[in-house]
């Protein structure tokens, strides 16, 4: 279906919506389901291109996976049930697939070759290949930067303590998954706590895991993982676009039902509160070991700037494009710092966000580790270069609602990566 943007500068968005299943949890449910014994039944799976790439990789390793809308059945065969892949494994645009899968492949008694699309082939992989090599895996690279594609020669690994110099759930998860195949416990210590979906789901499947400190986790090797029923709640990274839309469009009142509010992901809620936004959590509950709530947002005419830095950054890293749009609509200065990781996402998101908002007339400048926005000025329509980055397309899809004129996205179809029905929901609400 063709994706269009509505030019609606007066839109008041009112309604009750749900957003697709959490992307991080969807990947992990396929991965753990594939290496657990028995059937894993997944409800609310994100049918986005990234998660479909994960399914494809495990099917190539002999795992039977049945997909029926957002319900998925994974017929796992235990930790040692994967087969030598039938062809090259293609993670496409998905860093989570590539990095987590590298950890699993490192522990397999066969060789496998992993690749990705042109964007993923430029993204840093040393952050996983270096520590996985220390555990005993062998990698064969085409370039000295250790980018994809590469071949992994796996085998029995050595358990290690890894002290990472970053906060990355992809790195932590890759090493914990490799640790399942090691000869003794594996520990990961990171600088500040990254999202903990892997830890929660590994526990849910029966792994022996010890979280000694928010930033330190150890896993014992060779657990007997058992297939589970995983109910996946909505992705807060997808909800973020509608949180921002509800706050900045006059007269809006939106209830976003069934959103994952795991504290390691929910920094956006704290930022909205700090900016004077009207946001409330309703019907809080725990589902499949994850915290879930309905999020209620209303138009907030007195939004103010804030400073976003330090330990909160990993809890909202994927929402920064949406938060930047919010900051452009808030009075005063917003500083986003300690976010150099933005440079190595699907695009360099410091550049794509700053260039896009600058083209729309915002007062914004990039810094080495983030950006500074002086908000509250009228935004104007502009042509936005998304660099095929789904989060850039959606953030500017929301900026379009409050600008004079129209935003034109050079590629709107990239939203399929994480939120295939984004424009349908947006158009319905308008
Ligand atoms: C993810 C972790 C984050 C996030 C990415 C998904 C995950 O990346 O930006 O979209 O599912 O583990 P990093 O681990 O690189 O911070």
């Amino acid at each position: 279906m063709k994706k269009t943007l509505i030019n609606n500068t007066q839109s008041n968005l009112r309604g009750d919506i749900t957003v697709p299943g959490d992307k991080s949890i969807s990947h992990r449910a396929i991965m753990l389901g594939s290496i657990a014994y028995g059937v894993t039944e997944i409800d609310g799976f994100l049918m986005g291109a990234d998660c479909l790439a994960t399914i494809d990789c495990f099917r190539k390793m002999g795992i039977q996976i049945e997909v029926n809308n957002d319900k998925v059945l994974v017929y796992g065969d235990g930790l040692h049930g994967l087969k030598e892949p039938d062809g090259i494994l293609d993670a496409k645009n998905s860093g989570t697939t590539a990095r987590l899968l590298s950890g699993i492949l490192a522990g397999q008694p066969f060789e496998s070759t992993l690749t990705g699309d042109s964007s993923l082939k430029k993204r840093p992989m040393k952050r996983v290949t270096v520590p996985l090599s220390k555990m005993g895996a062998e990698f064969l690279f085409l370039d000295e930067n250790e980018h994809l594609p590469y071949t992994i020669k796996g085998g029995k690994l050595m358990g290690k303590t890894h002290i990472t110099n970053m906060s990355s759930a992809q790195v932590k998860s890759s090493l914990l998954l490799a640790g399942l195949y090691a000869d003794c416990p594996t520990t990961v210590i990171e600088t500040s706590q990254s999202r903990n979906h892997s830890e929660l789901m590994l526990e849910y499947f029966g792994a022996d895991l010890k979280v000694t400190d928010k930033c330190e986790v150890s896993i014992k090797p060779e657990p007997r993982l058992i297939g589970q029923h995983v109910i996946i709640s909505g992705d807060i990274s997808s909800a973020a676009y509608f949180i921002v839309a509800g706050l900045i469009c006059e007269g809006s009142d939106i209830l976003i039902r069934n959103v994952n509010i795991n504290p390691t992901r929910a920094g956006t809620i704290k930022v909205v509160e700090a900016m004077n936004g009207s946001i409330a959590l309703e019907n809080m509950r725990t589902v499949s070991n994850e915290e879930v709530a309905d999020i209620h947002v209303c138009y907030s005419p007195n939004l103010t700037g804030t400073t976003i830095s330090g330990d909160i950054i990993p809890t909202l890293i994927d929402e920064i494009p949406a938060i930047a749009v919010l900051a452009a609509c808030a009075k005063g200065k917003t500083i986003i710092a300690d976010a150099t990781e933005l440079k190595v996402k699907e695009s360099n998101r410091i550049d794509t966000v700053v260039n896009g908002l600058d083209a729309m007339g915002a007062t914004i400048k990039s810094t080495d580790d983030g950006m500074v926005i002086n908000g509250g000025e009228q935004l104007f329509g502009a042509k936005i270069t998304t660099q095929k980055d789904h989060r850039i397309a959606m953030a500017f899809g929301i900026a379009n609602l409050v600008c004079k004129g129209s935003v034109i996205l050079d590629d709107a179809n990239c939203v399929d990566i994480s939120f295939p029905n984004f424009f349908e929901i947006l158009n319905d609400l308008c």
Side-chain angles (χ1 to χ4, degrees), residues 30-337:
I30 297 296
M31 293 183 184
L32 292 197
S34 296
I35 56 171
Y37 284 101
V39 184
T40 287
E41 187 184 342
I42 308 168
D43 284 304
F45 183 77
L46 167 61
M47 295 295 290
D50 271 15
C51 300
L52 295 176
T54 294
I55 289 188
D56 200 47
C57 289
F58 281 89
R59 280 185 174 151
K60 282 203 174 110
M61 291 190 282
I63 301 298
Q64 187 191 338
I65 302 176
E66 289 168 10
V67 180
N68 191 353
N69 293 320
D70 66 352
K71 190 170 186 79
V72 179
L73 295 176
V74 185
Y75 297 84
D77 196 15
L79 269 188
H80 300 283
L82 300 177
K83 309 265 179 324
E84 184 161 351
D86 168 20
I88 292 177
L89 300 172
D90 190 352
K92 302 202 172 140
N93 194 244
S94 172
T96 307
T97 309
R99 297 195 178 111
L100 271 60
L101 187 54
S102 293
I104 293 177
L105 294 174
Q108 304 306 315
F110 50 72
E111 264 186 32
S112 42
T113 299
L114 184 59
T115 192
D117 70 5
S118 56
S119 154
L120 189 56
K121 279 181 187 161
K122 291 190 204 112
R123 294 179 65 189
M125 297 302 290
K126 271 189 184 168
R127 51 184 62 195
V128 292
T129 58
V130 169
L132 289 173
S133 300
K134 286 188 183 143
M135 293 176 79
E138 284 177 42
F139 290 85
L140 198 74
F141 304 103
L142 293 182
D143 72 4
E144 77 271 16
N145 291 320
E146 306 191 0
H147 287 140
L148 289 173
Y150 51 63
T151 295
I152 308 175
K153 201 169 158 216
K156 190 75 190 165
L157 301 174
M158 292 171 280
K160 294 267 178 224
T161 294
H162 304 276
I163 302 175
T164 66
N165 60 359
M166 61 177 80
S167 163
S168 162
Q170 293 179 353
V171 172
K172 174 176 62 177
S173 305
S174 181
L175 300 175
L176 292 176
L177 289 167
L180 296 171
Y181 299 92
D183 58 356
C184 64
T186 295
T187 300
V188 183
I189 303 170
E190 51 184 353
T191 49
S192 48
Q193 191 185 20
S194 63
R195 62 190 69 189
N196 66 352
H197 303 301
S198 295
E199 294 91 305
L200 295 178
M201 201 182 289
L202 277 160
E203 259 171 13
Y204 192 58
F205 276 71
D208 194 346
L209 206 84
K210 203 160 80 194
V211 182
T212 23
D213 173 270
K214 276 188 176 173
C215 301
E216 179 172 338
V217 52
S218 298
I219 193 161
K220 281 198 185 149
E222 298 292 339
R224 188 176 161 84
L225 302 177
I226 305 291
Q228 298 294 327
H229 183 196
V230 183
I231 301 172
I232 302 178
S233 41
D235 196 324
I236 195 163
S237 301
S238 299
Y241 306 104
F242 293 100
I243 292 175
V244 171
L247 295 167
I248 64 177
C249 293
E250 218 171 311
S252 296
D253 186 330
I254 308 178
L255 185 67
I256 313 166
R257 288 194 191 273
N258 193 36
V259 183
N260 183 288
I261 53 148
N262 177 323
T264 64
R265 291 288 301 284
T268 302
I269 296 169
K270 290 189 191 150
V271 165
V272 168
E273 283 166 350
M275 293 177 80
N276 262 335
S278 166
I279 190 163
L281 299 181
E282 297 171 3
N283 192 16
M284 287 167 76
R285 56 215 187 260
T286 300
V287 180
S288 297
N289 226 12
E290 290 277 354
E291 290 176 46
V292 179
D294 302 337
I295 300 179
H296 188 182
V297 284
C298 295
Y299 172 59
S300 302
N302 297 317
L303 291 167
T304 51
T306 188
T307 294
I308 309 166
S309 63
D311 286 350
I312 199 170
I313 292 291
T315 72
L316 48 68
I317 188 77
D318 291 342
E319 292 73 84
I320 288 178
I323 291 172
V325 171
L326 180 65
C329 299
K331 287 218 165 55
K333 188 187 277 191
T334 293
I335 300 170
I336 300 175

